[in-house]
Amino acid sequence: MKRFSIATVSEVSHITPNMIRVTLLADMIKAFPAYCAGGHVKLVIPPINQDIKQFQKFLGGFNIRNQMRTYTIRHINMQSGEIDIDFVAHGDSGPASAWAMTAKRGDFIGISPPGGPKLKVSSSNQYLIAVDMTAFPAAAASVEKLPKDAQGDFYTEILSPDDIQPINAPSGIKLHWVLKDPSGANPSLIETVKALKLRGDESVFVAGEYTPIGELRTYFRSEKAYPKDQLYISSYWKQGLIESEHKRVKTLVA
Ligand SMILES: Cc1cc2nc3c(=O)[nH]c(=O)nc-3n(C[C@H](O)[C@H](O)[C@H](O)COP(=O)(O)OP(=O)(O)OC[C@H]3O[C@@H](n4cnc5c(N)ncnc54)[C@H](O)[C@@H]3O)c2cc1C
């Protein structure tokens, strides 16, 4: 089990209609690796009505799994000991989204040490990124660290036209926004990616909901025969399943 500390909320901002940025402050963050933006942490969401003393005890116990969720470090400020976490606000059916939607300065949450970023460095300096909003923070933070002369295309599926957000990408990385369209009238993220003329030497970063990501994994691995060391393809959540159930399904098909 990971070591958890308590972080407190120092700021909350609604960066787009469907994304909430929560800035977390903790001494532990000052010791995170400087390069960890784009990596992930485990958050433990406090059960409703627990005060900080009760939560401290809860964090040391064995019942935390149901409250534990995975989120990306979008930015880190090591001097102040703060990280930004960008939560997709998908309603109150899950503890993490529900917590973020009502988070305010002074609230607390459990936080683990980070795991590393995933974008594979490309020997050709060419990149193809295709993500939904849950994986946008990981992809954006990784792209912001690429060499200035990196080239490629970065596709993000958004829930509303107002979910477009600026990032500090190298000028050769073109940003594209694919509006999710339940009617099917506009091309989906999968259709958009499959219609691309691929070079073959790109480093590929694909992440988001389980079903489309599974389809794109098959596409890149089997149909296009990309070598594994050019691919980061990962399912970040599954419609209808909470995180621990999704993780179990992922392990079964891995
Ligand atoms: C490495 C990694 C990094 C991640 N980084 C981020 C991040 O930075 N920001 C972020 O928002 N997410 C991120 N995720 C995804 C996030 O962990 C899941 O969306 C998680 O399930 C949310 O927890 P919850 O408590 O809100 O919902 P859960 O309790 O896990 O699920 C409750 C219900 O909500 C549904 N649900 C879960 N997520 C979504 C969603 N996005 N849209 C619609 N329905 C949903 C589930 O299918 C389920 O029916 C990341 C996942 C991984 C593996």
Side-chain angles (χ1 to χ4, degrees):
M1 187 63 72
K2 287 184 179 270
R3 273 180 310 111
F4 287 95
S5 297
I6 293 185
T8 53
V9 174
S10 55
E11 204 174 326
V12 180
S13 54
H14 290 250
I15 51 175
T16 78
N18 293 297
M19 193 166 256
I20 301 167
R21 173 162 299 163
V22 180
T23 306
L24 297 175
L25 171 74
D27 273 346
M28 175 202 212
I29 292 168
K30 293 182 178 166
F32 279 10
Y35 208 66
C36 68
H40 62 273
V41 287
K42 298 285 181 190
L43 299 177
V44 180
I45 319 303
I48 290 165
N49 293 333
Q50 275 196 356
D51 64 26
I52 196 158
K53 272 199 173 153
Q54 292 166 321
F55 184 55
Q56 183 86 60
K57 209 164 160 202
F58 177 78
L59 271 186
F62 293 105
N63 291 328
I64 60 173
R65 282 226 175 270
N66 281 346
Q67 296 296 114
M68 201 162 81
R69 299 291 183 272
T70 310
Y71 279 84
T72 300
I73 299 170
R74 178 67 181 88
H75 304 112
I76 178 162
N77 181 336
M78 294 187 66
Q79 277 76 39
S80 62
E82 288 177 304
I83 54 173
D84 288 335
I85 305 277
D86 291 352
F87 291 81
V88 174
H90 66 83
D92 59 7
S93 62
S97 172
W99 180 86
M101 288 168 73
T102 58
K104 57 187 185 318
R105 206 179 157 86
D107 283 356
F108 53 87
I109 193 165
I111 179 175
S112 76
K118 310 290 185 346
L119 180 62
K120 309 253 166 100
V121 174
S122 158
S123 51
S124 64
N125 216 11
Q126 297 286 333
Y127 293 87
L128 171 61
I129 291 131
V131 292
D132 73 8
M133 286 182 63
T134 64
F136 178 80
S142 303
V143 161
E144 287 174 348
K145 289 190 285 198
L146 288 176
K148 294 235 169 316
D149 59 347
Q151 305 227 319
D153 292 284
F154 183 158
Y155 292 84
T156 305
E157 181 193 69
I158 48 177
L159 301 170
S160 110
D162 294 330
D163 285 320
I164 292 176
Q165 51 177 295
I167 71 163
N168 198 9
S171 57
I173 302 280
K174 291 182 230 70
L175 302 183
H176 311 270
W177 306 94
V178 181
L179 184 61
K180 188 170 183 174
D181 178 6
S183 79
N186 293 319
S188 66
L189 187 65
I190 299 186
E191 288 162 340
T192 305
V193 170
K194 286 190 172 180
L196 296 174
K197 194 171 176 325
L198 298 170
R199 292 169 51 101
D201 60 357
E202 309 91 336
S203 176
V204 175
F205 182 117
V206 172
E209 203 274 333
Y210 179 86
T211 303
I213 296 311
E215 207 174 303
L216 287 175
R217 181 181 292 112
T218 306
Y219 178 69
F220 282 104
R221 280 197 192 164
S222 307
E223 279 182 52
K224 296 294 173 187
Y226 270 57
K228 271 195 172 167
D229 63 2
Q230 274 174 243
L231 299 176
Y232 169 73
I233 303 188
S234 185
S235 158
Y236 274 24
W237 63 285
K238 183 165 170 33
Q239 193 75 55
L241 299 185
I242 65 166
E243 183 171 315
S244 54
E245 297 166 335
H246 166 230
K247 209 170 161 192
R248 219 168 298 134
V249 173
K250 254 170 88 163
T251 314
L252 288 175
V253 299

